[in-house]
Amino acid sequence: MSERKLTVLPIDTDAYCDPETGMCAVPAAQACSAAVTADGPAGADDPGGTDSAASAATSPPPSRERR
Amino acid sequence: MSTATVRDLATLQIDVWTDFACPACYLAKPRLDAAIAGTGRSGQIAVRYRAWELFPEATELPFDSFEYVIRKFGGDEARASRLEQRMGDLAQAQGQPYLVHHPIANSLDAHRALKLAAEYGRDAVFIDRLQRDLFGSGTDVFDTRYLVAVAADLGIPAERTDAALAGNGYADEVRADQARARGLGLTGIPFTVLAGKQAIVGVASADGFRRAIEAALTGEGNDR
């Protein structure tokens, strides 16, 4: 596989885990074990619990510095 | 036929970056399996599981997943419970048990054992077994003795697993997977890459996975 950026497909997703923090996000600001982003990707801290986390899963957050 | 031969013949290569401790990856695995079966062309599709360590700083001593979540929420247990329940609901909706309290530890050895399992064409069932035991039973699947025993159950000689885990077997391969992922711009796991060109970040529906796979099969194909 070549080392280049990929095209991220615009597919709705239910959850993902942040590769740097281990925290996961699910729709409606709900999360998983090893999971749940309070301060992490994509509005998962949205108290309204809308689809911000779902949106984040569809459009992942930018990479961040590794700890 | 060896796994390598199947991969050589495959029309579509799918690479999945995953971690055993990743609940989202646990959800995604059966959906991706169903998606591949749903294409009716599973013989033309090869899946390679690649390593990502969600907790590379963790030691071999397990810690409780739920306590970790609570800490991340600044002690808000109610919120953590609500969110964990949602993950459990997602898992149970597709027939997967999910314990809020399950252990997390360093997954390097498990990934190394997975690399060995792949040599025997047993990587998919190895993942299924470990994640079922982890999320369904709360087993410490990161423990070396457990890994050797499960590998043996799946037909992998115990002496090979023992030797690999006692030394540095497959550690370079695990690190290479993670370096490759960074090069590709991984932003979340599971990270599913189709034909080395397109990525799905997270847990799509089985239908979503299937449509993307079918498009890749009929599109530009594999550029390995």
Side-chain angles (χ1 to χ4, degrees):
Chain A
M1 186 183 302
S2 57
E3 296 288 329
R4 58 177 165 72
K5 296 294 182 183
L6 303 168
T7 299
V8 175
L9 297 173
I11 295 175
D12 289 340
T13 52
D14 286 341
Y16 74 95
C17 293
D18 185 305
E20 307 302 331
T21 67
M23 297 294 281
C24 302
V26 298
Q30 298 164 65
C32 47
S33 94
V36 193
T37 87
D39 56 355
D45 200 29
D46 174 8
T50 62
D51 60 352
S52 57
S55 175
T58 301
S59 303
S63 298
R64 60 180 79 170
E65 293 299 316
R66 285 192 65 77
R67 290 167 289 174
Chain B
M1 181 181 295
S2 73
T3 302
T5 304
V6 169
R7 286 178 180 143
D8 289 343
L9 296 175
T11 300
L12 177 65
Q13 175 72 50
I14 301 177
D15 292 273
V16 182
W17 272 266
T18 185
D19 191 17
F20 299 98
C22 164
C25 304
Y26 176 55
L27 289 176
K29 175 73 165 49
R31 297 187 187 190
L32 182 61
D33 290 347
I36 291 170
T39 66
R41 298 173 66 181
S42 56
Q44 296 174 263
I45 299 168
V47 179
R48 176 166 42 204
Y49 299 98
R50 294 188 177 275
W52 187 269
E53 297 173 84
L54 276 182
F55 304 96
E57 302 90 352
T59 70
E60 72 278 9
L61 297 175
F63 58 91
D64 183 82
S65 60
F66 189 58
E67 294 302 319
Y68 176 82
V69 174
I70 291 174
R71 283 203 305 275
K72 287 292 184 180
F73 275 122
D76 187 341
E77 184 167 354
R79 186 178 180 201
S81 296
R82 185 174 65 250
L83 299 175
E84 279 287 323
Q85 184 59 49
R86 173 61 178 156
M87 179 55 69
D89 289 346
L90 286 171
Q92 289 174 12
Q94 55 189 53
Q96 294 176 293
Y98 185 84
L99 291 175
V100 168
H101 292 275
H102 56 265
I104 295 173
N106 190 288
S107 61
L108 175 60
D109 284 353
H111 281 296
R112 296 198 294 133
L114 176 62
K115 294 295 183 189
L116 174 60
E119 292 186 5
Y120 290 83
R122 304 295 280 163
D123 45 352
V125 292
F126 188 81
I127 291 174
D128 288 341
R129 173 70 178 272
L130 263 64
Q131 291 206 305
R132 186 191 68 204
D133 287 352
L134 174 63
F135 293 107
S137 305
T139 302
D140 177 9
V141 303
F142 312 99
D143 179 74
T144 300
R145 288 167 299 182
Y146 166 88
L147 293 168
V148 173
V150 166
D153 279 352
L154 298 178
I156 301 159
E159 60 270 23
R160 286 215 61 192
T161 312
D162 254 335
L165 298 184
N168 292 321
Y170 304 98
D172 288 346
E173 287 87 339
V174 170
R175 294 188 189 101
D177 277 355
Q178 297 183 96
R180 183 175 290 108
R182 292 187 186 97
L184 292 171
L186 174 146
T187 53
I189 65 167
F191 188 64
T192 304
V193 176
L194 308 177
K197 298 174 181 176
Q198 297 173 315
I200 299 168
V201 182
V203 189
S205 65
D207 190 54
F209 276 131
R210 181 187 54 76
R211 282 184 277 107
I213 291 168
E214 288 177 342
L217 280 166
T218 57
E220 296 178 334
N222 195 338
D223 72 346
R224 282 175 301 145

